[in-house]
Amino acid sequence: MIVASNLPQAHKGSDNRIAKTAARTGAYAALLLGILACLFWYAAPAAHAEGQQGMLLAMHEHAQSGALGSDGAVLKDKLEDGVMYAVRILYYMALLLASGMMLLRLILPQSDRGAEQRRLMERWSGFAVKGLLVASILYVFIHAARVVRELGGDGDLWLRIFMDTTSGQLWLALIVLSALGFAAVKLPDIGKAVWAVLLLATESYGGHAAASEQAVVSILSDFVHLACAALWAGGVMLLLLFWRADRKEAGRFAERFSSVAWITIVLLIVSGAVMTWTLIPSWLYLIYTDWGKWLLVKTGLVIAVAAVGAVLRYRAKRRELPRGFWLKLDGGLMALIVAIAAIFTVISPMPTGKPLNHHQMGEDLHYTLKLSPNAPGPNEASLTIWLPEGVGVPQAVALTLRQEGKPLMNVSLIQSEEGGGIAFPGFNEYRYKGREFVLPRPGKWTAIMTITGASGETLEREFEFDSN
């Protein structure tokens, strides 16, 4: 009788659980469909010529969007940029937390001592995977929608972006892997780690590293950097969650994670330095580009994290529970670092200067001076001069750059055998290239050219230009 009387209640409880699960699933499906519908509506563009779409699609693969003409258009661009950066930060945070939690399962003990930590991590990993899928869809479709709008395309261009471009294919892979995270949560620890590695490898292949001249080294260092960042960010988040859920488990996890954290921070610094070396040709770019400035801020925060980590490691070695203040500070610094990393991964590490191409005609001298990119850091310089046919070959050609209040800067020139320049009747052409030329700072400069002719006479010309 007791068993019979309990059967309806058991069935009722089971039905309630099924109903709740179905409701949650329906809610997530409705949310995702709503997001997709809004994004497709947002991306609805005006019609444009198909031939121009193909050309612009190839150009857009690694291009950055710029301002439109009017103030309203500029404001709209800034708002869209803000939304894109916010979504990028959300995606980057979800990526590191979800993959980090999966990787950190490998450090948990298999005995009963780690059973409670595993139970809690199983629950939190599920939430992390759900957040990653939503963030990935937002990230991919907002970026793809902006490409479609800028190229003035229609529905066909969406398919071409995802089928014909490397970025689109990587975006699809990210969404598929994010969806597979629901299955990865149920896999053994090694399966969870494999899923996390595939996810991080896909992300590392789609950033600035792939465009580097040392692509293999850059991509590998980017992957190591991402993996270490995931371990560190995931560990910091888990420490905070354990501290709120069970202080004793927080102490046990802190004892295991403290050693891993130090290794990851060291590898983060090393891999970050290698990747920076492959991306920028001069350390001056750290000072004069937005990318470099963000990197310097991030480096300062990493130093602060190392100091906080030393305090937490000291307490863990003494088998003392971590203090809430230090954990919250570590979590806040982690969030700032991840946000900065998300921002400067979509900013070009190269300067955005406007190349100089200055040509001047004269009765006894024509010249053309070119500087590229005409921004702080390594530059390519070329000077072409035309002298009257009767004066002979110049003995020496010098190029000097002057900035008010600063020492003169001599640019070493070597004669170039390249031809194909503009021919001026009655003049002979002579070409020179700058050797190891580094522009130290932006601002207003004066270029001074001094030509010593075959008979010893000297011609001097100068003009002002702005370096960005």
Side-chain angles (χ1 to χ4, degrees):
M1 293 295 295
I2 295 176
V3 174
S5 65
N6 284 341
L7 279 175
Q9 295 179 3
H11 282 297
K12 185 177 180 180
S14 177
D15 291 342
N16 286 338
R17 286 195 297 272
I18 293 173
K20 289 180 180 179
T21 302
R24 284 198 299 267
T25 304
Y28 280 118
L31 175 62
L32 294 180
L33 288 175
I35 291 171
L36 291 178
C38 291
L39 290 172
F40 275 107
W41 172 81
Y42 168 81
H48 207 273
E50 186 175 349
Q52 288 183 336
Q53 289 177 10
M55 178 181 67
L56 291 174
L57 183 60
M59 293 171 60
H60 201 285
E61 184 76 7
H62 292 291
Q64 297 291 331
S65 59
L68 301 178
S70 64
D71 292 340
V74 172
L75 178 60
K76 181 182 177 183
D77 268 3
K78 290 182 178 179
L79 290 174
E80 290 182 357
D81 286 343
V83 171
M84 290 179 67
Y85 284 134
V87 171
R88 173 69 180 177
I89 292 171
L90 176 65
Y91 159 73
Y92 214 67
M93 183 73 73
L95 172 76
L96 295 182
L97 294 182
S99 55
M101 287 185 181
M102 296 292 196
L103 290 171
L104 286 167
R105 289 288 295 247
L106 296 174
I107 72 170
L108 298 183
Q110 297 290 338
S111 61
D112 293 341
R113 182 180 175 86
E116 180 63 13
Q117 291 183 23
R118 289 180 173 276
R119 184 187 68 80
L120 290 172
M121 282 186 66
E122 197 80 25
R123 177 187 175 191
W124 296 331
S125 296
F127 289 123
V129 167
K130 292 175 185 177
L132 174 62
L133 180 59
V134 173
S136 298
I137 291 175
L138 279 171
Y139 167 69
V140 168
F141 279 92
I142 282 182
H143 280 69
R146 184 163 188 174
V147 174
V148 172
R149 285 172 62 88
E150 289 177 351
L151 300 184
D154 51 21
D156 293 339
L157 190 58
W158 278 88
L159 182 62
R160 293 181 60 193
I161 287 173
F162 289 107
M163 295 294 104
D164 298 341
T165 69
T166 302
S167 296
Q169 292 163 5
L170 289 172
W171 288 343
L172 280 179
L174 285 173
I175 292 179
V176 171
L177 284 169
S178 298
L180 289 175
F182 291 96
V185 172
K186 306 299 182 182
L187 294 176
D189 292 349
I190 188 66
K192 292 180 173 65
V194 169
W195 173 83
V197 167
L198 290 175
L199 187 66
L200 295 172
T202 302
E203 172 63 26
S204 65
Y205 193 76
H208 292 314
S212 170
E213 293 183 0
Q214 297 89 11
V216 174
V217 176
S218 188
I219 291 173
L220 285 175
S221 59
D222 191 19
F223 170 74
V224 172
H225 199 74
L226 276 174
C228 291
L231 285 168
W232 172 68
V236 171
M237 179 57 69
L238 286 172
L239 263 178
L240 285 167
L241 292 173
F242 278 127
W243 187 78
R244 292 183 64 88
D246 190 327
R247 301 293 171 87
K248 183 169 64 176
E249 296 299 337
R252 289 175 178 174
F253 183 77
E255 187 176 351
R256 287 181 169 273
F257 176 64
S258 59
S259 298
V260 175
W262 275 107
I263 295 173
T264 59
I265 288 177
V266 172
L267 289 176
L268 276 170
I269 294 172
V270 173
S271 60
V274 172
M275 189 164 51
T276 301
W277 169 74
T278 63
L279 291 177
I280 58 176
S282 171
W283 296 107
L284 286 172
Y285 290 169
L286 295 178
I287 303 173
Y288 294 116
T289 63
D290 290 338
W291 186 89
K293 292 173 183 176
W294 279 115
L295 181 58
L296 291 176
V297 173
K298 181 189 171 189
T299 302
L301 291 174
V302 169
I303 294 173
V305 162
V308 174
V311 175
L312 293 174
R313 181 176 171 82
Y314 173 75
R315 294 187 65 85
K317 291 181 70 174
R318 296 181 60 181
R319 297 185 178 276
E320 296 178 0
L321 289 176
R323 291 186 180 274
F325 169 77
W326 294 109
L327 286 178
K328 292 174 183 177
L329 179 59
D330 204 23
L333 291 172
M334 179 269 290
L336 285 174
I337 290 174
V338 172
I340 291 173
I343 290 173
F344 82 70
T345 52
V346 293
I347 296 176
S348 174
M350 301 302 291
T352 56
K354 182 180 179 181
L356 172 70
N357 187 349
H358 180 80
H359 180 76
Q360 184 66 49
M361 303 284 287
E363 293 183 359
D364 52 358
L365 170 67
H366 308 331
Y367 70 87
T368 298
L369 177 63
K370 296 181 180 181
L371 299 179
S372 179
N374 189 25
N379 279 251
E380 292 184 359
S382 67
L383 176 62
T384 304
I385 63 173
W386 291 264
L387 295 175
E389 290 179 345
V391 302
V393 179
Q395 295 184 25
V397 176
L399 172 62
T400 304
L401 301 181
R402 181 180 68 217
Q403 197 173 40
E404 187 175 355
K406 304 292 183 182
L408 292 176
M409 179 179 175
N410 296 315
V411 179
S412 178
L413 297 176
I414 57 174
Q415 194 161 3
S416 172
E417 300 298 329
E418 294 180 4
I422 301 173
F424 293 102
F427 284 79
N428 290 327
E429 178 187 271
Y430 305 94
R431 289 174 168 262
Y432 301 86
K433 281 189 174 182
R435 183 169 52 186
E436 298 179 355
F437 166 53
V438 176
L439 199 63
R441 65 190 72 87
K444 187 174 292 293
W445 290 82
T446 300
I448 306 167
M449 287 141 291
T450 306
I451 296 96
T452 304
S455 58
E457 75 280 5
T458 299
L459 296 174
E460 187 172 282
R461 300 289 187 273
E462 65 178 59
F463 70 93
E464 291 185 347
F465 68 94
D466 289 321
S467 171
N468 301 291

